Amino acid sequence: MRVLVTGAAGRVGANVVRRLVEADVAVTAMVLPGDRQAAKLAPLTGVRVIEADLGDQAAVDAACAGATHIVHLAAQLVRGDTPVDRFYDINAFGTLRLLEGALRTNGGIERFVLASTDGTYRPGDPPAVPLREDAPQEPADYYGTSKLLGEVILRNHAAQFDIPYSMVRFATVVSPEEAAGYFRLDSARAMLRRADLGRDSNIWQLFRGRPDLLPILDTAAGDAPPDAAVGLVGPDGHSWSLHMVDVRDAVQGVHLALTEPDALGGVFNIAAAEPTTWEHGAAVLAELFDVPKLSVAMPFDWRLEVTVDAARERLGYQPRYDFRATVQEARATASGVAADFIPARV
Ligand SMILES: NC(=O)c1ccc[n+]([C@@H]2O[C@H](COP(=O)([O-])OP(=O)(O)OC[C@H]3O[C@@H](n4cnc5c(N)ncnc54)[C@H](O)[C@@H]3O)[C@@H](O)[C@H]2O)c1
């Protein structure tokens, strides 16, 4: 088995490379040219690091040479200033270039694993709670749409050229040191400000026609400190929810999708066992960090919850971390306990 991992310097990618190296698998780690995060890979022995941009077919072809398996994690994630066409060029056409590279250089990949996202369902206003893999996919933002196009391109190419594949749809992937930044007043403000940018915002459609939420949050917060914990609650008293997955569980999901015979042709939600409600997340932060906790009444409900039954039943996936465990892990690591993960950023 010779595995090409794209996005190898990323939050998930570096940890997937590490998992494979520990299992004595030969890995080629593809990184974006000039990405300083590639320094994460330096301590991992025996990894062949290759620079290639998913926009460059010749470089992608060179990265694919000799691979028997491909784990495709590279993607344009949501950043404030990302131009629209970049989402499509990297997440849709970049996936096509990688598939072409795999066909051209080897003529036979044994498995192609694609990382997709629960953002391909409709975040906030989902067609079902919880979402199964066969739920309608109607993303209403550029990122989710581009990732869905990547899925469609893979399915079509796989059927056309007999490429064995599997897909994982991650929930929000969190590295332990990032977890305590969720469910805070400042991060809630940042999210609502992005929605407030109108048509310039990637997520504007998700909030379209809904009341202006920032003043509601600011009024309720008063002079609470920016690191106060915040639970957002809908009109029916149900807390807003977010489904997360600890990066170590995400790695487990990728590894199963890569190695399990039953993963072939399948798509699997990869998430924590349960979603995290904002109220629960805020209560955990208030307890562990001794910060004030607010509950803020919102004029509508917002939920994003998936089921991992398919991954459990077909792959033996066993998520090990909930939000509390992830935050506690970060605290333990900060106080000198050795980490069993590579942090998102070095
Ligand atoms: N982070 C999440 O919450 C989340 C949720 C659902 C799905 N996903 C998916 O999981 C995968 C891994 O995400 P992550 O959290 O590790 O993201 P990340 O941003 O940490 O890593 C993505 C990597 O892709 C690389 N990349 C970007 N553009 C590239 C290009 N043009 N050519 C080559 N490489 C390029 C980046 O340099 C980066 O190292 C992605 O496919 C993402 O869409 C992530």
Side-chain angles (χ1 to χ4, degrees):
M1 191 191 224
R2 289 183 304 281
V3 185
L4 170 67
V5 179
T6 73
R11 179 183 287 104
V12 181
N15 284 287
V16 166
V17 172
R18 175 171 148 163
R19 171 82 170 77
L20 292 170
V21 166
E22 282 170 1
D24 282 332
V25 174
V27 180
T28 298
M30 184 178 125
V31 301
L32 187 64
D35 186 352
R36 286 196 301 200
Q37 296 301 321
K40 287 177 196 172
L41 302 170
L44 305 177
T45 45
V47 177
R48 174 175 165 249
V49 178
I50 184 162
E51 291 194 336
D53 190 318
L54 279 171
D56 178 346
Q57 184 71 61
V60 169
D61 289 353
C64 288
T68 59
H69 296 66
I70 295 180
V71 176
H72 181 28
L73 299 165
Q76 179 60 56
L77 274 81
V78 177
R79 309 260 179 271
D81 56 353
T82 306
V84 178
D85 57 349
R86 190 158 176 87
F87 287 111
Y88 295 115
D89 192 41
I90 302 308
N91 299 346
F93 291 113
T95 299
L96 178 62
R97 289 184 198 102
L98 191 62
L99 287 162
E100 285 289 301
L103 288 174
R104 225 172 270 172
T105 47
N106 304 291
I109 278 286
E110 290 172 40
R111 197 169 302 193
F112 188 106
V113 179
L114 174 70
S116 187
T117 169
D118 64 359
T120 60
Y121 307 116
R122 197 180 184 94
D125 187 16
V129 178
L131 291 152
R132 288 168 21 138
E133 290 81 350
D134 57 1
Q137 289 173 286
E138 297 174 357
D141 66 305
Y142 302 131
Y143 169 69
T145 304
S146 65
K147 293 293 290 184
L148 177 56
L149 285 171
E151 288 192 15
V152 174
I153 288 169
L154 170 56
R155 278 188 214 277
N156 186 60
H157 241 56
Q160 185 89 3
F161 299 106
D162 292 326
I163 302 169
Y165 76 93
S166 58
M167 291 190 215
V168 290
R169 281 191 201 129
F170 292 137
T172 297
V173 184
V174 183
S175 185
E177 82 286 357
E178 301 174 305
Y182 284 81
F183 314 119
R184 301 273 191 177
L185 183 54
D186 50 3
S187 56
R189 279 199 178 112
M191 177 183 82
L192 298 182
R193 261 190 222 115
R194 268 177 50 221
D196 247 16
L197 290 173
R199 289 177 198 273
D200 287 340
S201 163
N202 170 58
I203 60 170
W204 175 71
Q205 279 192 67
L206 296 171
F207 288 89
R208 185 180 187 177
R210 289 170 158 172
D212 193 359
L213 303 180
L214 202 50
I216 298 174
L217 179 65
D218 284 339
T219 305
D223 57 3
D227 64 350
V230 175
L232 302 178
V233 182
D236 59 356
H238 195 283
S239 174
W240 285 24
S241 61
L242 174 66
H243 216 136
M244 300 173 134
V245 58
D246 184 297
V247 70
R248 293 162 293 181
D249 284 334
V251 169
Q252 184 198 154
V254 168
H255 195 258
L256 292 167
L258 180 67
T259 55
E260 279 299 308
D262 269 3
L264 277 177
V267 51
F268 302 95
N269 291 332
I270 296 296
E274 301 290 337
T276 306
T277 66
W278 279 67
E279 277 289 289
H280 173 71
V284 168
L285 295 180
E287 177 195 326
L288 296 181
F289 294 91
D290 197 21
V291 291
K293 174 183 171 297
L294 317 168
S295 290
V296 180
M298 286 287 158
F300 58 87
D301 206 11
W302 181 282
R303 298 177 81 169
L304 187 52
E305 304 178 15
V306 302
T307 168
V308 293
D309 287 353
R312 279 189 199 276
E313 286 159 20
R314 282 180 56 186
L315 310 183
Y317 172 66
Q318 291 183 328
R320 287 179 296 156
Y321 303 95
D322 61 10
F323 180 68
R324 176 186 287 274
T326 303
V327 175
Q328 279 173 329
E329 179 82 28
R331 281 165 59 100
T333 310
S335 57
V337 176
D340 63 351
F341 60 93
I342 300 173
R345 300 193 72 76
V346 289

